[in-house]
Amino acid sequence: EVQLVESGGGLVQAGGSLRLSCATSGFTFDDYAFGWFRQVPGKEREGVSCISSTDGNTYYADSVKGRFTMSRDNAKNTVYLQMNSLKPEDTAVYYCAADLFVPWNSMAPSSEYDYWGQGTQVTVSS
């Protein structure tokens, strides 16, 4: 059974940091690229960052570039999203997703990803 389980969300003040984790099982982690997405009620799911399967190359949306860092630990079958200098507009439910074929040098739409976690809430207070 494929599982992606996000953790690390919470409430933080503006300017603070959080580290999200996405623990996976049920598929060959090393073969998959991953993405982090976020969604607020009434809006479409927004791509935040993605990472390649092989070299760990990353891509970031302009809204988070320079503040967020995505990484992967192939030994632990886990991907991470380090979020620094958080802003109230970063408040959302954050999801990790996995797919074999998405590119790493651009943010593929959410419809391209095969596997999804259940999400973790991030709330940034002003």
Side-chain angles (χ1 to χ4, degrees):
E1 179 188 5
V2 171
Q3 286 193 320
L4 289 79
V5 180
E6 300 97 335
S7 61
L11 173 64
V12 64
Q13 288 189 331
S17 298
L18 285 173
R19 188 195 194 203
L20 305 184
S21 299
C22 176
T24 75
S25 61
F27 59 98
T28 306
F29 181 87
D30 295 12
D31 290 343
Y32 279 73
F34 289 85
W36 282 100
F37 291 78
R38 64 187 182 187
Q39 190 169 25
V40 297
K43 291 191 176 181
E44 290 189 0
R45 197 164 289 190
E46 174 193 14
V48 172
S49 179
C50 58
I51 192 167
S52 67
S53 59
T54 51
D55 299 328
N57 292 307
T58 52
Y59 174 89
Y60 300 95
D62 287 343
S63 57
V64 306
K65 198 174 296 181
R67 300 188 298 121
F68 290 12
T69 302
M70 186 173 183
S71 61
R72 61 188 295 158
D73 186 335
N74 288 1
K76 295 183 178 180
N77 291 352
T78 301
V79 294
Y80 303 96
L81 186 67
Q82 177 67 44
M83 306 187 295
N84 298 329
S85 302
L86 283 161
K87 305 175 181 180
E89 51 264 44
D90 294 319
T91 295
V93 177
Y94 283 72
Y95 300 88
C96 70
D99 195 82
L100 278 172
F101 301 114
V102 291
W104 67 266
N105 55 353
S106 64
M107 200 72 219
S110 59
S111 58
E112 296 293 317
Y113 284 80
D114 281 342
Y115 302 138
W116 289 85
Q118 83 290 346
T120 185
Q121 176 70 47
V122 171
T123 303
V124 184
S125 63
S126 58

